Amino acid sequence: MTSIVLKEAKFTKLCSTKSILTVNGSFPGPTIRVNKGDTAFVTVHNQGKYGVTIHWHGVRQPRNPWSDGPENITQCPIPPKSSFTQEIIFSTEEGTLWWHAHSDWTRATVHGAIIISPAPKTTYPFPKPYAEETIILGEWYNGDVMDIIDEALATGGDPNVSDAFTINGQPGDLYSCSSATTYRLKVDAGKTYLLRIINSIMNEEQFFGIAKHKLTLVATDASYTKQITADYLMISPGQTMDILVTANQSPSRYYIVSTPFADSTAPFDNTTTTAILQYNGNYKPPSSIPFPTLPTYNNKTAAENFTKRLRSLASKAHPVNVPRSITRSIFITVSVNQIYCPNASCAGADGNRLSASLNNISFQTPKIDILLAYYRNLPKVYRSNFPTRPPYYFNFTGDVGNNTIYPSLGTKALIVNYNDAIEIVYQGTNVGAAENHPMHLHGYSFYVVGTGSGNFNEKTDPKSYNLIDPPEVNTVGVPKNGWVTIRFIADNPGVWYMHCHLERHTSWGMNTVLIVKNGRTNATSIRPPPKYMPPCSKS
């Protein structure tokens, strides 16, 4: 049993001090370490100012959505001055995941790593590294994050962007008042290190690299991959990547750098965070520390060139099981929209309110959590008619005109049967500010069997699918004005949130809920709820 305490703590960054919500007073928060197949109990004590929930990102939680965490989806917030014990059931995951708050924008400061070591008497499918380190890509806002999103939702405009990116909580040498605390990763020459990289940033995908050192990818989202050697990574919010780095250069200091990938007209934080790879030993420090060359912020080709190389390991010890015979085929358009404001009274485009949607429905989060409503058959909380096709077809990635800007509003769930073989095609659209959307599904990992640019062609595009060794992930980038196809078996009954992991898009409604019905036995049905769940209030 582990206890974590949500509480305010003061931090000084970028020349000013402010109070932020933390876990155990640290930023980022503590690491949770388990072995594959373990079950962990974590009691969350909320000593903060408002209700919060905690989500275990990428943990499948078999039959146990009660501890998954998204606010008003599987539980109501943990009220201040109260506690909630969550049961985190690890099953097939192995590698790096993470935990984060799942209420409004609290995850900006409330997050940390989950490290899942191989089960006893097993080991990594690569030579054991000399040592390992976790690298959490985060960010810092000079303003109060809750005020920032509250103001944006009140005015209908874009939320303020962050003031700095961080590596393990530190902005690095390129920001004011920051170089004294730059994170340093100390290494011995000739040794190989496993770096567990987590993108916990709110709204920006990231390029990542280390000067003069190659990166060898070995896992993503707690699933092993075929090894890929690269000069840079592209990692989206929500994703994790495990890489091997060998300290094979002249003993010195080398910059570790992360910069945004933002192929959009939307505002973004265009700054650079740095850390230092510092060799141990006696040598003269360099007069200028070498800096890696990363792609420019809008280099879509560079991002896709990295992502399309990902392949599952697909070995005997780590097999894949890609559904071949699909029983539920779903097509979802992913759009940024507007909601009409009379007299152009809002701060978004055209004086309207910014919004977002899946299949032209902007999700409205209810006051009672959907899991409770589903389990207890409570009326009027959600509807079961999320469409498996968009309301109408148009040139999704071309000149979309004005007729698709305004979505409908609703709390609609997508219902599937237990053990359905699911295929979802996510189609990015050119409505609003088109960009890459990292789509995340709770309760599952899934295989990314295909991706492409432009409008999905259901006759020709499936011919390009990889059904042999597609990557298995829990978060996938839908390319700007492109499509991605995922497949999985719906073998985890429950209520599972599906949303864009760019936080402003989640706030605007780029979400839905997947409800997987029970199977025919107790072992294939949702577990009963724990004795205590945080209470739901209408306020």
Side-chain angles (χ1 to χ4, degrees), residues 374-396:
Y374 171 67
Y375 194 79
R376 301 255 185 254
N377 288 316
L378 303 179
K380 298 182 180 175
V381 176
Y382 70 95
R383 296 175 68 186
S384 302
N385 60 345
F386 183 87
T388 57
R389 295 282 180 272
Y392 51 94
Y393 283 72
F394 55 94
N395 182 4
F396 299 120

Side-chain angles (χ1 to χ4, degrees), residues 82-270:
S82 73
S83 303
F84 177 45
T85 299
Q86 292 174 258
E87 181 179 359
I88 306 137
I89 303 169
F90 295 90
S91 53
T92 58
E93 309 89 354
E94 185 175 328
T96 309
L97 293 171
W98 64 302
W99 58 267
H100 60 81
H102 216 303
S103 304
D104 299 308
W105 276 29
T106 47
R107 80 168 178 85
T109 57
V110 177
H111 58 257
I114 300 173
I115 295 176
I116 308 155
S117 296
K121 299 181 181 173
T122 68
T123 187
Y124 303 118
F126 46 82
K128 189 173 182 186
Y130 176 71
E132 60 175 65
E133 195 62 60
T134 302
I135 303 276
I136 298 182
L137 307 179
E139 69 203 316
W140 184 259
Y141 289 84
N142 285 333
D144 181 282
V145 261
M146 295 297 275
D147 290 347
I148 287 169
I149 186 57
D150 286 349
E151 181 188 0
L153 293 177
T155 64
D158 261 306
N160 291 348
V161 300
S162 54
D163 295 284
F165 295 120
T166 58
I167 293 175
N168 288 350
Q170 302 301 338
D173 290 356
L174 303 185
Y175 298 96
S176 301
C177 308
S178 300
S179 56
T181 57
T182 297
Y183 175 73
R184 291 170 187 264
L185 174 60
K186 295 184 177 177
V187 297
D188 288 345
K191 303 295 188 186
T192 297
Y193 293 80
L194 173 62
L195 304 185
R196 302 175 180 274
I197 300 171
I198 299 164
N199 186 348
S200 75
I201 291 166
M202 301 291 277
N203 291 302
E204 285 93 359
E205 287 130 336
Q206 294 284 299
F207 291 116
F208 175 91
I210 303 176
K212 300 192 176 181
H213 289 74
K214 296 282 188 186
L215 315 177
T216 300
L217 183 79
V218 292
T220 181
D221 289 0
S223 179
Y224 292 118
T225 63
K226 290 184 170 66
Q227 293 191 15
I228 297 169
T229 299
D231 293 320
Y232 65 88
L233 311 177
M234 197 291 280
I235 182 166
S236 294
Q239 291 180 329
T240 68
M241 291 183 182
D242 294 0
I243 61 171
L244 298 175
V245 175
T246 301
N248 57 7
Q249 297 299 302
S250 302
S252 187
R253 296 174 186 176
Y254 300 88
Y255 269 125
I256 302 168
V257 174
S258 188
T259 62
F261 164 55
D263 59 342
S264 173
T265 57
F268 67 98
D269 179 347
N270 194 11

Side-chain angles (χ1 to χ4, degrees), residues 265-289:
T265 57
F268 67 98
D269 179 347
N270 194 11
T271 62
T272 299
T273 181
T274 61
I276 294 172
L277 184 76
Q278 182 168 313
Y279 281 63
N280 293 320
N282 295 319
Y283 54 85
K284 187 182 177 189
S287 54
S288 68
I289 299 174

Side-chain angles (χ1 to χ4, degrees), residues 348-368:
D350 307 320
N352 288 327
R353 171 179 297 282
L354 291 169
S355 174
S357 67
L358 298 176
N359 273 351
N360 217 42
I361 299 163
S362 187
F363 187 80
Q364 305 295 290
T365 304
K367 299 291 185 195
I368 295 172

